[in-house]
Amino acid sequence: VFTITVTNGLLSPASGVSIDALLPSGYAYVSDGAGGAYNAATGVWTVGGIAPGGSVVLVVTATVLPTGDSPFVAEVACLWSHLSIQMH
């Protein structure tokens, strides 16, 4: 299970937020908790906006494959805000 938390640390809303979080080849996608906003094929999680001081969380469940890459990296893209990202 991978958990990605994105937090808007400013006093203004964040808009146009998307996160690139494609599972590496060493994992097989099982499910997520993004309500259809996460595209497992592309790894893009479309958030839209985050209120000032607010956070959004994506939980992705995957199984480990016997071969393939295992490092998991996520990148945030947005307009007009400073966002932080945590992965577990």
Side-chain angles (χ1 to χ4, degrees), residues 1-6 21 23 29-36 38 45 56-62 72 86 88:
V1 174
F2 295 99
T3 303
I4 302 170
T5 303
V6 180
L23 287 173
Y29 171 84
V30 174
S31 64
D32 67 78
Y38 177 70
W45 173 27
V56 292
V57 178
L58 172 65
V59 177
V60 175
T61 302
F72 184 51
Q86 291 183 329
H88 304 282

Side-chain angles (χ1 to χ4, degrees), residues 20-85:
D20 291 325
L22 183 62
L23 287 173
S25 62
Y27 297 95
Y29 171 84
V30 174
S31 64
D32 67 78
Y38 177 70
N39 183 325
T42 64
V44 175
W45 173 27
T46 304
V47 174
I50 304 174
S55 296
V56 292
V57 178
L58 172 65
V59 177
V60 175
T61 302
T63 56
V64 178
L65 299 175
T67 61
D69 295 330
S70 60
F72 184 51
V73 176
E75 295 183 13
V76 177
C78 69
L79 303 172
W80 313 111
S81 188
H82 173 75
L83 300 177
S84 63
I85 187 169

